[in-house]
Amino acid sequence: MSDSTQPYRVLARKYRPRNFRELIGQDAMVQTLGNAIKRGRLAHAFLMTGVRGVGKTSTARLIAKALNCIGPDGQGGPTIDPCGLCDPCVAIAEGRHIDVIEMDAASHTGVDDVREIIEAVRYAAVSARYKVYIIDEVHMLSKNAFNALLKTLEEPPEHVKFLFATTEVNKVPVTVLSRCQRFDLRRISAEKLTAHFTHVTDAEGVRAEPAALSLIAQAAEGSARDGLSILDQAIAHADLDQGEPLVTAAQVRDMLGLSDRGTVRRVLGLLLAGDAPALLATVREQHDLGVEPLALMRGLLEIVHAITVTKAGRGGDDPAQSAEEREALADWAAGLSFAALHRLWQLLLKGHDEVANAVLPLEACEMALLRAVHAATLPDPAELARLLRDGGSVMPPSASATAPVAAPADPSASPSTRQTMSAPPSFADLVTLLAKSGAALLANSLHDEAGLIRYAPPELVIATRRPIDLKDLTTRLNAATGMAWAVSLGEGPGEPTLWDQEKAAEDSARQAILSTPIVSAAMAAFPQAELLPQGDNEEWSASA
């Protein structure tokens, strides 16, 4: 712990990187700078851009140290690994070096401020190797100020280097960008932030649960400064255990107004099940516990995205997910179609925007979730067209074309409980439903290659001329019908394929027409005539 006689420094300032090794997640930029210094190919102006808290200003100061370091013996030159011990390194780190001038463009926006720089660059550095100008938030300069700086920026004296930092590079004129060597600093990954926060808590003598640090890293959204500020708050919020703060995941959730993942899964399960009363009760319960409605909507969006990428084959790469959560995501991914997931995403995304701008956030959240529940009970366009064509009801009593999978209210229970729907009356209807659910290629394979042996929903036994992926077929049938199908290959050839049956019916109809007296006489009188199908229903007509 730090000396109590010293004034407290917040973690975001205390743990600023002091050298390039401590700069997190910017390896490509460090390598480029290192090679440029070794080869003597230093640009006269650098522009660092990126979101807040990724190290733009810190990088500018490190570059200033790298250019002016003289080593502990005073004989060193520019280096990517400044010593931190020589007078220039110490003075720059403390912000008091006379040749390293920092300017905040947010408060110095005019031409007069830039004119002072233009006049000062003519004079050599007092004690450093290079005179360095660090201009933070450079996009705040006025148009006239940028124009005044252009000539000096393009051809500065050899002893001057310009270092710019900005969060909104799109506001910087192209004429300025073309005169700078640009570095786009990346967002820092949650894994690297978690490791960094672990190092900080160890150095501070604070105990913290790994799950708590992971939550803070996710809340930081790629910003080390934001994450350290949240960690600072979490340490102050933590209870003292044996004289030392203990940061727990539950305390971080309470502090940030987050809902735990298990609760989000439970809310999604209730939404998919169409249980509106239980859904509203859970939302109110979370609100009473301090969970913001916007955070709940965001959590639902995150889990729907996780289900979708799991279905797309990229699941299981999040180290923050528990085994239970991975199992739930895999089960939902197997039971929900891409169309249903995209539809649910759009409903929740619209609801998130409404909650963010609502005068009554809780009420807006409830209305958005109810809209998703009731929209889920409506058939999708393909199913609606089929129902209208067959004369059936367009409002299924309880089934959901959007949400055939209903997770139980208890997040510890298996989310494989499914709502059942009536199976298609025949194998041909099943193939048609499969094609309309987005599995056209698989449906075509069944139509052309599969002979039916047994059709007793939810059991299907077929014989195929060519291999068919039975696992994929089972998954598609489960998603399309809401039933747990058992699909297998049987012995024997089975019935003729649907394609063979259609061809046989077509040939039979053709022969029946040719055998009629009138057509027979016509074909005899006109030997070159042909019998051709006509119209969408393939009615036959004679054509010479």
Side-chain angles (χ1 to χ4, degrees), residues 439-471:
L441 293 177
L442 190 57
N444 288 338
S445 297
L446 286 179
H447 181 275
D448 297 345
E449 308 291 346
L452 179 65
I453 295 178
R454 175 177 171 78
Y455 182 69
E459 181 184 1
L460 176 63
V461 183
I462 57 176
T464 61
R465 298 173 181 172
R466 296 180 182 177
I468 292 181
D469 189 342
L470 295 184
K471 183 177 180 182

Side-chain angles (χ1 to χ4, degrees), residues 476-530:
R476 298 282 190 171
L477 290 177
N478 292 347
T481 66
M483 302 175 67
W485 283 80
V487 183
S488 61
L489 295 176
E491 299 292 337
E495 298 179 1
T497 67
L498 295 177
W499 186 85
D500 290 339
Q501 294 178 33
E502 292 172 359
K503 291 296 294 181
E506 178 184 323
D507 292 341
S508 177
R510 185 175 187 275
Q511 290 301 323
I513 294 173
L514 289 173
S515 64
T516 60
I518 295 177
V519 176
S520 297
M523 298 298 287
F526 301 97
Q528 302 299 323
E530 296 181 5

